[in-house]
Amino acid sequence: MADSKFEGKVVIVTGGVSGIGAATARHFVDAGARVVLADIDGERGAALAAELGSAAWFRQCDVADLDQVMDLAEAVADRFGGVDILHNNAGIGCLGGTTPELDVGTWHRVLSVDLHSVFYACKAVIPLMRQRGGGAIVNTASISGLAGDHGFTAYNAAKGAVINYTRALALDHAPHNIRVNAICPGLIATPLTAPIEGMGTLRETWERGIPMRRAGMPEEVARVVAFLASDAASYMTGSIVVVDGGAMAGTGQPKVADFMG
């Protein structure tokens, strides 16, 4: 066990069976927590729960369905007695073209999974946290919520909304000892970003725009999630933490020194 700073804590991770969610679940289990893996993928969920052992419990759940999310929270409360930490991580991407070309159904699906699910989970879990005397929520937003991208309109809209919703939650629930923060990953090597490998030189081009010149690893994001959920971040709420290898640090303007004699 890496440490025990989450010993006895009950953690829900949505989108918890791959990528950032799976890495976060592993980190919490190693740190002594009991982790609920909430995901629509039953096969992967069962496999990861078996790998992580008795500290992990998989619950199949479509986080875009309010009834399923409410049932999830009720089941977790019955099994573990409450919830201490919620990582709203479930999400999907969408390269759907500009607004005139974007299918309306795709728009609604992206917002349902990337935004509405965060509201649903918070609605279901915050009352349980109040009963425990407090808790911590970490929402996965994106640097695509801080600036726009070409052809990512639905994703940009959803992630931008998650960021400001995080701030509103932080204000509303600070009196209940519930801290709410968000992470904004950049390019992370996960199944969500795997399709770029088949798009010519896209990955190489993308990484050249990152000061650290590489994609991040899910474990690097998981460590930030765990920090925000821990007592080490006890005076942080409403914070939007960028985890992007420096991609958002610059303006995008050219390096003038390269053009000077």
Side-chain angles (χ1 to χ4, degrees):
M1 182 178 293
D3 58 56
S4 58
K5 66 183 175 184
F6 294 106
E7 190 72 44
K9 298 294 186 181
V10 178
V11 182
I12 297 176
V13 181
T14 71
V17 307
S18 66
I20 292 170
T24 301
R26 288 190 180 94
H27 189 103
F28 279 123
V29 166
D30 286 345
R34 291 172 291 176
V35 178
V36 178
L37 309 166
D39 202 289
I40 201 169
D41 190 333
E43 184 176 348
R44 281 186 178 178
L48 182 58
E51 173 194 330
L52 296 178
S54 60
W57 182 50
F58 172 66
R59 174 85 177 193
Q60 192 164 27
C61 179
D62 180 353
V63 294
D65 184 317
L66 175 60
D67 290 338
Q68 291 190 38
V69 175
M70 297 300 287
D71 288 345
L72 166 70
E74 183 178 353
V76 173
D78 289 344
R79 187 179 183 98
F80 298 110
V83 179
D84 300 292
I85 296 165
L86 169 64
H87 180 202
N88 280 310
N89 176 71
I92 57 174
C94 168
L95 182 58
T98 63
T99 293
E101 293 81 34
L102 182 63
D103 176 72
V104 172
T106 299
W107 169 274
H108 284 291
R109 180 60 180 166
V110 172
L111 264 69
S112 291
V113 176
D114 291 358
L115 172 60
H116 298 167
S117 69
V118 178
F119 167 70
Y120 296 159
C122 289
K123 184 175 181 64
V125 168
I126 285 174
L128 300 176
M129 290 183 170
R130 285 176 175 171
Q131 293 173 11
R132 303 273 267 201
I137 299 171
V138 182
N139 297 325
T140 298
S142 169
I143 61 171
S144 294
L146 296 169
D149 301 294
H150 295 284
F152 271 74
T153 48
Y155 189 75
N156 288 137
K159 292 302 186 178
V162 168
I163 288 170
N164 222 29
Y165 180 52
T166 296
R167 296 182 178 119
L169 283 167
L171 294 176
D172 285 344
H173 299 290
H176 308 132
N177 195 33
I178 297 172
R179 297 184 300 104
V180 190
N181 297 290
I183 55 167
C184 287
L187 178 64
I188 308 297
T190 70
L192 189 66
T193 61
I196 70 173
E197 300 293 347
M199 297 182 182
T201 60
L202 175 58
R203 177 164 183 151
E204 291 79 7
T205 302
W206 200 325
E207 290 182 343
R208 280 199 300 271
I210 300 170
M212 293 183 72
R213 294 295 190 270
R214 65 174 178 86
M217 298 304 295
E219 294 76 15
E220 293 177 296
V221 183
R223 289 193 289 269
V224 180
V225 174
F227 165 71
L228 291 172
S230 75
D231 290 341
S234 59
Y235 200 53
M236 292 180 68
T237 195
S239 296
I240 311 301
V241 181
V242 175
V243 190
D244 71 347
M248 294 293 292
T251 63
Q253 298 182 68
K255 186 177 178 182
V256 177
D258 289 345
F259 297 87
M260 297 174 65

